Amino acid sequence: MSAVETLVDLLAGRRPAADLAPREWDGVIGVARAEVLLGTLAHRVEDGEVPGPVAWLFADCRAAAAVATKQALWEAEMARRALAPHGVEFVLLKGTAYAAAGLACAAGRQIGDLDILVPWHDLGRAENALLVAGWEWVKEDAYDDAYYRRHMHELPPLIHKARDRMIDVHHTILPRTHRVTPDALALVSDAVRTAGGFAVLCPTDMACHCAAHLIADGDLQGGLRNLWDFHALTGEFAALDRGFWGKLDERAEMHGLERAVHRAARLARDLYGTRLPSGWNSHPPGDGRYQRRLLARDDWGRATDPLLQQAFYIRSHWLRMPPTMLARHLWTKWRKG
Amino acid sequence: MADPFYRAAEEGALRVEPLGDLTAIFDRRSMQTHLVTQPMPEILAALAAGPCDAATLAARLADRFDLDGEGDAAAILSERLDELAAMGLVERA
Amino acid sequence: MRHRTRIEVGPVQFRIGSDWAAPIAALDRLYAGYPRDRDRPADATVRLFAARPWRRWLRPSVHIGGDYIVPDALPLPLSMGLLAAEMGMNLQVALGWRRHLLFHASAVAKDGRAVIVSGESGSGKSTLAALLGEGGWRLMGDEFTLVDPGSGDALAFPRAVSLKNEAIAEVAARVGPERLGPLLAGTPKGDIRHLIPRADAIAAMHEPVRPALLLFPRFGGAPAIERLGEGEAFVRLTEASTNYVTLGEAGFAALSRFVRETPAFTISYPDSARGMAIVEQLWAEAVR
């Protein structure tokens, strides 16, 4: 069994961690790092089940993830302090939203940039308020600037000059040129408040966005990690609301994302054991291709599918290492692709 | 526009360690370290008594510093408060 | 990967894979005297690989990868595969290690007390540590020094010392050829030759040491010693640490304690002999 399959089995709880031979952990840890799932794995297995050095490494990962989560939530707080005086409300997206809402998938999960959603008509004011509060354009590049505004679903990326953290301001969850056009107004108007006072997408929209990010928006971006988010999110929501899957179906249809959501659900079922209601339980042959691409890593953590190799760039950009210029440069490089 | 009011961080949010001429402040909310000099630690301590504007803060600090409670002192404190707000250590109330 | 080895340096277990045999053979020779635990899972993975399959043979150039990569790092020719391995190992520790506060610093110890020497390359921190390590000191490491947040103790990372340029002859004059790696001439960092630490330094690599002294050296100029305040030492060490931020409050607490308990100095010295004399003098005063 390959390391990536072992990782998936461990996350799914199909295989006890105590079953692994000590050296099997090399590949599992390498693959988990490459998929940005090591912190998640560190929260999924019990320390007593694994060899000492693995338990220590996992403790390090949990501690580092706790620090990183606080940093990410602080960026959300600073965005609030910058935008609230101008009357701009925003909805947190992705990792920061999961952490702010205290969702299970946030445990150990790395968070990249701060992603926020603002209504289309507030975009100009949000931009000005952020520039006043110390964010600046990652690059002055008129072509890219126009490109972003016209074709992407976000402002060109901004970085805070003192904290060196990136913010992506979205006005919808898929590029405007994408053939699917989710209902951005509904995303904002149906957002819900967390205990800490932040707005996040409602559960069905959160699952839709997660699936869109995985399947519709690029080529299996974030791969196994995004799929894990989908598995954990839907599991948690369905446990709280018996009607969740039915509502998700309706919502996905409204956004034009039913194919992406159903595919994500089937892949999550096949890899992580997500329990789906009967109407969702088909087995179309096209899923195999997706599954193979999700599992395309060797025991040294290398992507064996060339299209997935850009994931390296995403991961490196998450590092945020002290030579802060590094992060800046990587970002620019990755964007230029 | 009226002078802005500023609010200190909630109790326990900051860990303050004097290190010779500098003071290292660790913000447990942001995980950031700030190295500051006088009068920043004193401003933070004075603000902990409750949100206020620069003039009120000058009056609070007058006991400890040779300030006249008005004019220049308030203007200087206003700048410092703005810097502290940019670091996130205080917030506009 | 086709060729592989495992190396334990201080608390870090490396797994190193390579598309070529030569870098692995060179590593195995340098690290032959280090402890080996074949069953211990790795903390860090290093990969030395060819960007395209045919580049294994045709003008072979070694790309450095692993858990963490720097995407625009230039590959090295296969003749410098050992340097690529060293850079790969450093990269994984600098970017990935979370258990201890990591300083870009060399360290030596005597009587259970450590001198930690922090500086950029060219400051002479590596050479000073190597030369002291051939005298009455235990070499703890020439590149990274770890501080345990719980105890405040310094931990060794005694990888093979990377001697550069003039330091090569200076050290080679004092040790036998069996302690030296091959000469890597004309690398992007100049000439490089690795020094295998003394057996007693390797045997003691897991023993924690109380920090006694922190030095920031500058090579060149008249001998000079200047005491550094706690605040300035704090700032300099945050800059010398690759993981201070990621450790959160534990890093803050460890660093505050470190600069309070450890006297810090900047030193200037015109040659190694006088640099070593300054270290001996300050150490004697610090542990008195």
Side-chain angles (χ1 to χ4, degrees):
Chain A
M1 177 176 277
S2 74
V4 67
E5 290 169 305
T6 306
L7 169 67
V8 167
D9 281 355
L10 287 169
L11 289 172
R14 271 191 298 269
R15 186 168 171 195
D19 268 13
L20 269 66
R23 285 279 291 279
E24 268 185 275
W25 286 101
D26 283 353
V28 170
I29 289 167
V31 167
R33 276 196 213 271
E35 293 287 344
V36 206
L37 275 165
L38 192 58
T40 303
L41 182 65
H43 277 271
R44 284 287 289 169
V45 303
E46 299 286 335
D47 280 353
E49 292 185 295
V50 300
V54 176
W56 303 330
L57 190 71
F58 283 180
D60 297 343
C61 287
R62 290 191 296 265
V67 171
T69 300
K70 286 206 169 177
Q71 289 171 324
L73 288 172
W74 181 252
E75 279 309 295
E77 169 63 15
M78 292 310 271
R80 188 191 64 74
R81 290 185 190 184
L83 295 173
H86 299 265
V88 179
E89 298 213 14
F90 61 87
V91 180
L92 292 176
L93 298 175
K94 300 188 209 170
T96 315
Y98 307 154
L103 293 165
C105 69
R109 187 190 188 281
Q110 278 205 48
I111 302 172
D113 304 332
L114 173 62
D115 291 285
I116 65 172
L117 178 70
V118 300
W120 170 250
H121 57 267
D122 274 347
L123 214 54
R125 280 193 299 150
E127 184 178 344
N128 287 336
L130 291 171
L131 291 171
V132 166
W135 276 267
E136 47 194 31
W137 301 119
V138 171
K139 53 188 172 167
E140 301 287 342
D141 191 326
Y143 169 78
D144 283 355
D145 203 38
Y147 175 82
Y148 266 97
R149 282 155 205 271
R150 248 179 250 146
H151 302 298
M152 298 301 281
H153 51 128
E154 58 197 55
L155 289 178
L158 290 153
I159 192 162
H160 194 273
K161 61 186 172 199
R163 293 189 305 278
D164 199 49
R165 302 276 303 203
M166 210 92 68
I167 187 170
D168 282 332
V169 183
H170 306 249
H171 53 81
T172 182
I173 55 172
L174 286 177
R176 291 170 92 191
T177 50
H178 206 277
R179 61 195 158 74
V180 175
T181 49
D183 186 338
L185 216 57
L187 292 169
V188 174
S189 57
D190 291 341
V192 295
R193 293 244 161 242
T194 69
F198 286 110
V200 299
L201 295 177
C202 69
T204 47
D205 279 350
M206 209 181 257
C208 284
H209 183 208
C210 184
H213 192 47
L214 176 72
I215 287 165
D217 180 12
D219 282 308
L220 294 178
Q221 269 191 50
L224 287 176
R225 205 276 306 268
N226 263 345
L227 190 66
W228 176 260
D229 288 341
F230 186 88
H231 163 76
L233 289 173
T234 53
E236 193 168 359
F237 296 148
L240 293 170
D241 176 3
R242 288 172 61 94
F244 172 74
W245 287 103
K247 291 175 190 164
L248 178 57
D249 229 353
E250 288 169 23
R251 198 71 176 178
E253 194 175 347
M254 185 192 93
H255 288 307
L257 287 167
E258 62 273 28
R259 281 167 63 92
V261 168
H262 275 259
R263 175 149 275 152
R266 293 192 305 271
L267 288 168
R269 171 199 64 196
D270 296 344
L271 291 179
Y272 295 128
T274 314
R275 269 183 282 179
L276 302 181
S278 54
W280 293 66
N281 255 328
S282 61
H283 291 269
D287 287 358
R289 185 171 55 91
Y290 281 86
Q291 201 183 112
R292 277 191 299 282
R293 295 218 14 231
L294 285 168
L295 297 176
R297 264 189 209 284
D298 71 9
D299 290 11
W300 287 79
R302 291 177 295 186
T304 49
D305 178 332
L307 278 174
L308 287 182
Q309 281 169 0
Q310 76 149 344
F312 280 124
Y313 289 89
I314 301 169
R315 180 160 51 92
S316 309
H317 140 70
W318 268 322
L319 293 177
R320 302 256 175 258
M321 284 318 299
T324 50
M325 290 309 295
L326 179 67
R328 213 175 281 236
H329 181 72
L330 285 173
W331 173 255
T332 316
K333 192 181 169 75
W334 180 52
R335 288 280 173 176
K336 287 235 191 258
Chain B
M1 199 166 102
D3 273 358
F5 269 56
Y6 291 89
R7 180 171 42 227
E10 60 268 31
E11 207 180 326
L14 305 181
R15 175 168 174 175
V16 180
E17 300 281 353
L19 297 173
D21 300 338
L22 297 176
T23 299
I25 301 174
F26 184 78
D27 190 332
R28 293 185 167 114
R29 303 162 300 174
S30 65
M31 298 276 122
Q32 285 178 312
T33 303
H34 304 278
L35 282 139
V36 298
T37 54
Q38 208 199 44
M40 294 303 204
E42 291 79 5
I43 292 174
L44 292 174
L47 205 58
C52 67
D53 61 8
T56 312
L57 186 67
R60 283 185 199 170
L61 285 167
D63 299 344
R64 301 195 49 191
F65 293 93
D66 192 15
L67 302 174
D68 56 11
E70 289 291 328
D72 283 355
I76 291 168
L77 286 174
S78 177
E79 277 177 34
R80 298 291 91 80
L81 282 166
D82 204 39
E83 289 165 16
L84 288 169
M87 290 188 247
L89 293 173
V90 306
E91 186 186 357
R92 281 206 186 196
Chain C
M1 298 191 77
R2 187 169 308 184
H3 308 278
R4 55 186 73 182
T5 191
R6 306 174 79 76
I7 294 174
E8 183 179 333
V9 182
V12 187
Q13 172 91 345
F14 291 96
R15 165 176 76 141
I16 301 158
S18 168
D19 281 342
W20 304 269
I24 298 297
L27 281 173
D28 280 339
R29 187 188 156 253
L30 276 188
Y31 288 92
Y34 284 65
R36 299 255 164 157
D37 179 353
R38 297 264 162 211
D39 274 341
R40 178 178 157 187
D43 298 293
T45 291
V46 177
R47 291 186 285 109
L48 305 176
F49 61 99
R52 298 279 175 273
W54 60 87
R55 292 300 290 270
R56 265 179 217 165
W57 305 284
L58 185 70
R59 283 179 288 115
S61 64
V62 185
H63 287 257
I64 301 166
D67 298 328
Y68 298 88
I69 63 163
V70 176
D72 46 1
L74 288 176
L76 291 167
L78 182 55
S79 61
M80 296 174 193
L82 189 55
L83 176 62
E86 175 199 309
M87 288 167 70
M89 289 164 74
N90 287 350
L91 186 68
Q92 305 317 317
V93 174
L95 299 188
W97 195 250
R98 302 281 180 268
R99 203 161 305 153
H100 309 102
L101 187 57
L102 185 150
F103 296 136
H104 190 215
S106 68
V108 291
K110 193 154 66 171
D111 304 337
R113 305 292 306 275
V115 178
I116 293 157
V117 185
S118 173
E120 294 301 309
S121 50
S123 65
K125 71 171 168 22
S126 230
T127 313
L128 271 182
L131 291 171
L132 289 165
E134 296 307 312
W137 298 78
R138 167 191 153 198
L139 175 72
M140 294 178 69
D142 77 316
E143 183 75 3
F144 297 138
T145 300
L146 308 167
V147 171
D148 181 50
S151 67
D153 284 340
L155 294 171
F157 184 78
R159 58 164 208 170
V161 177
S162 185
L163 301 168
K164 292 186 193 78
N165 302 323
E166 294 80 21
I168 297 174
E170 204 169 359
V171 173
R174 300 172 194 227
V175 303
E178 75 286 353
R179 297 267 314 279
L180 293 168
L183 176 69
L184 308 172
T187 78
K189 300 177 173 188
D191 291 352
I192 288 184
R193 199 164 182 191
H194 291 95
L195 168 73
I196 301 169
R198 283 192 343 216
D200 53 344
I202 295 167
M205 76 180 182
H206 294 304
E207 288 171 22
V209 187
R210 216 64 222 141
L213 190 61
L214 170 65
L215 301 179
F216 295 95
R218 199 168 64 85
F219 182 73
I225 301 172
E226 198 176 333
R227 179 79 195 241
L228 270 187
E230 292 171 5
E232 190 174 352
F234 187 102
V235 174
R236 283 175 175 244
L237 285 176
T238 58
E239 288 164 358
S241 175
T242 56
N243 67 0
Y244 168 73
V245 174
T246 53
L247 293 189
E249 189 171 355
F252 177 80
L255 192 54
S256 309
R257 175 180 173 183
F258 185 92
V259 298
R260 281 209 185 108
E261 294 180 354
T262 317
F265 299 86
T266 57
I267 61 169
S268 299
Y269 60 101
D271 54 58
S272 299
R274 264 170 295 178
M276 284 157 62
I278 291 174
V279 175
E280 297 276 4
Q281 176 202 331
L282 288 173
W283 187 79
E285 287 167 14
V287 301
R288 195 165 49 202

